[in-house]
């Protein structure tokens, strides 16, 4: 992931897709987690209420403030969990590249040929 494209260039297509999904989902979840943290601090929409509505729905201004604080705390907890998962996914994608099979043979080596066994070099018999 940090080295660049050559890390995943030799991976089979399915493994590339899995690594891409993990890293991409991690980045996406990081954005969602940051948005949730911002929403917990600043709110997602302006709240316009009157004192009469506060007393009707929450009995007191203190209870209204506690209700807002509880909502913000729940959003912040969700944001923390989302960002924690967002941090794990790219590392999982990187770890996946360590265990993925390589599609190309190692450089300097030819792929093994299967078939009938041939005599070892030096033990070959030539007619004549």
């Amino acid at each position: 992931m940090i080295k660049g494209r050559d890390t995943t260039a030799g991976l089979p297509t399915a493994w590339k897709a899995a690594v891409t999904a993990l890293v991409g989902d991690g980045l996406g979840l990081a954005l969602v987690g940051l948005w949730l943290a911002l929403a917990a601090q600043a709110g997602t929409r302006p709240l316009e209420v009157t004192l009469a509505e506060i007393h009707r729905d929450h009995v007191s201004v203190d209870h209204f403030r506690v209700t807002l604080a509880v909502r913000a705390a729940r959003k912040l907890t969700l944001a923390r969990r989302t960002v924690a998962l967002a941090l794990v996914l790219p590392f999982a994608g990187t770890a996946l590249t360590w265990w993925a099979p390589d599609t190309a043979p190692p450089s300097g080596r030819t792929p093994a040929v299967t078939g009938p066994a041939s005599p070892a070099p030096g033990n070959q018999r030539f007619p004549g």
Side-chain angles (χ1 to χ4, degrees):
M1 183 171 89
I2 294 177
K3 281 178 60 177
R5 190 178 182 290
D6 62 333
T7 302
T8 57
L11 294 179
T13 304
W15 287 84
K16 280 183 194 177
V19 170
T20 302
L22 286 170
V23 173
D25 289 348
L27 293 174
L29 278 177
L31 292 174
V32 169
L34 292 173
W35 178 259
L36 288 170
L38 177 64
Q41 192 276 330
T44 54
R45 58 182 176 259
L47 183 63
E48 192 174 305
V49 293
T50 64
L51 185 58
E53 290 171 338
I54 291 173
H55 283 290
R56 183 190 69 219
D57 296 337
H58 301 281
V59 180
S60 69
V61 174
D62 288 337
H63 187 264
F64 174 70
R65 289 181 179 164
V66 168
T67 302
L68 291 179
V70 168
R71 285 181 194 161
R74 286 182 182 150
K75 283 183 184 177
L76 192 56
T77 299
L78 181 60
R80 274 187 286 208
R81 290 178 181 164
T82 303
V83 170
L85 181 59
L87 292 173
V88 169
L89 290 178
F91 288 116
T94 302
L96 197 61
T97 64
W98 299 336
W99 292 299
D102 200 9
T103 56
S107 60
R109 295 182 61 196
T110 58
V113 177
T114 58
S118 60
N123 293 337
Q124 298 155 337
R125 298 179 190 222
F126 296 101

